[in-house]
Amino acid sequence: MPDAPVKPLDVIERKGLLYRSGLGFDCINHVLGCSHGCRYPCYAFLMARHHGRVRDHAEWCRPRIVGNALPLLDRELGRKRAVPPQVHLCLTTDPFMVGHPEVGALSLAIVERLNRSGVPCSVLSKGVLPGELADRRRFPCDNTHGISLVSLDEAFRREWEPGAAPFAERVAALRRLHEAGRRTLVHVEPYPTPGIFAQDLSRILAEVAFVDHVFFGGWNYSSRVSQDRDGEAFYRRQSSTVRRFCAQHGIDCELG
Ligand code: SF4
């Protein structure tokens, strides 16, 4: 039986695209919502609901794409003073959302447009990073290619990141970009305490020993962590593990 036709995403219009985040770097979020539907919960969802941009989690999981993203970006890059040193995709959605190729296509077009203006990008995804990102003619800047990875266990993913790509597919896509000579990053956050999910951090790090940069951070925004009496000591031990691993493998280490 042929696959059911994929319903095109709803479209929204925005007045601006590039912005400086509260974290101090420049970002683009060209989609409202995210079908990955993470349940840590997702901070971007909490904020969108708080500000009345979505009613509930079900609406958050039906993403709407910014239809005028590229003309907006052209206009913003045309203003000389506005050209940022680097742009991050994305802080409040996923640029390579599973099951939504139009989101990935727009993300690639945005990175291409920024690179054409000499602006490098960092991308971070729980989807599958496309192989096109290795193409230096289309993407000439030294972009950084990141995946989020807090477990290797698919039972964890099904419970906490139900719409995201399987872990092995994320790692394989990242490895392909590394092998093509691209800069890679793994974002190990929010890392669960044993009370949420017991696992061995060393095994996860070993899977991504090829990356250039590791970011490690704890499980925020959930009262379940404060129920773990050993939480602080646990994160101190995990941070030491990450620091040691990065030193052994010559990897840039960043602790959240
Ligand atoms: S992938 Fe990111 S933006 Fe999407 S639901 Fe998960 S945490 Fe939120």
Side-chain angles (χ1 to χ4, degrees):
M1 211 165 87
D3 289 343
V6 180
K7 189 173 171 286
L9 291 181
D10 287 340
V11 174
I12 54 170
E13 297 269 303
R14 288 246 178 90
K15 293 201 171 84
L17 196 67
L18 270 167
Y19 76 104
R20 172 62 58 96
S21 79
L23 298 171
F25 49 81
D26 295 285
C27 293
I28 287 181
N29 299 299
H30 47 292
V31 179
L32 172 62
C34 179
S35 61
H36 292 169
C38 301
R39 296 178 174 134
Y40 318 125
C42 165
Y43 184 65
F45 159 62
L46 295 180
M47 287 297 99
R49 190 180 57 181
H50 176 77
H51 292 291
R53 289 193 278 270
V54 297
R55 272 187 312 275
D56 53 25
H57 198 248
E59 189 179 340
W60 173 256
C61 292
R62 289 193 300 274
R64 286 168 277 168
I65 199 161
V66 177
N68 60 337
L70 286 172
L72 272 178
L73 184 58
D74 263 336
R75 200 177 71 202
E76 290 172 350
L77 290 173
R79 295 187 207 129
K80 266 208 169 96
R81 274 185 319 146
V83 174
Q86 174 160 331
V87 171
H88 179 69
L89 286 75
C90 301
L91 204 54
T92 67
T93 186
D94 195 297
F96 298 105
M97 210 177 284
V98 174
H100 296 294
E102 62 273 60
V103 171
L106 182 55
S107 301
L108 291 175
I110 288 171
V111 175
E112 182 178 12
R113 178 65 189 85
L114 286 161
N115 280 190
R116 204 161 65 234
S117 289
V119 181
C121 298
S122 63
V123 296
L124 182 64
S125 181
K126 291 185 180 75
V128 175
L129 293 174
E132 287 101 307
L133 286 165
D135 181 352
R136 283 207 177 261
R137 275 176 306 186
R138 186 174 174 196
F139 306 105
C141 291
D142 284 328
N143 302 315
T144 299
H145 309 87
I147 58 165
S148 292
L149 186 79
V150 294
S151 181
L152 298 174
D153 194 315
E154 283 297 299
F156 176 92
R157 184 188 65 76
R158 281 191 294 273
E159 181 173 359
W160 295 101
E161 306 173 350
F167 294 127
E169 292 181 24
R170 292 183 218 178
V171 174
L174 191 67
R175 189 187 293 276
R176 278 194 292 275
L177 290 171
H178 162 74
E179 286 168 354
R182 289 304 211 165
R183 180 172 169 78
T184 54
L185 169 148
V186 67
H187 197 265
V188 188
E189 187 194 35
Y191 191 74
T193 58
I196 295 169
F197 196 81
Q199 57 183 1
D200 180 358
L201 177 59
S202 304
R203 277 195 54 231
I204 300 168
L205 294 173
E207 273 304 294
V208 289
F210 59 86
V211 299
D212 299 291
H213 189 145
V214 171
F215 178 94
F216 177 81
W219 188 281
N220 299 313
Y221 323 121
S222 167
S223 58
R224 288 186 67 171
V225 171
S226 52
Q227 289 161 17
D228 264 333
R229 273 186 281 149
D230 187 36
E232 267 185 40
F234 171 75
Y235 282 124
R236 269 199 304 278
R237 288 196 301 277
Q238 305 311 296
S239 296
S240 301
T241 301
V242 174
R243 219 180 282 116
R244 236 182 359 259
F245 177 86
C246 289
Q248 279 165 3
H249 291 82
I251 295 171
D252 294 342
C253 181
E254 193 180 348
L255 303 173

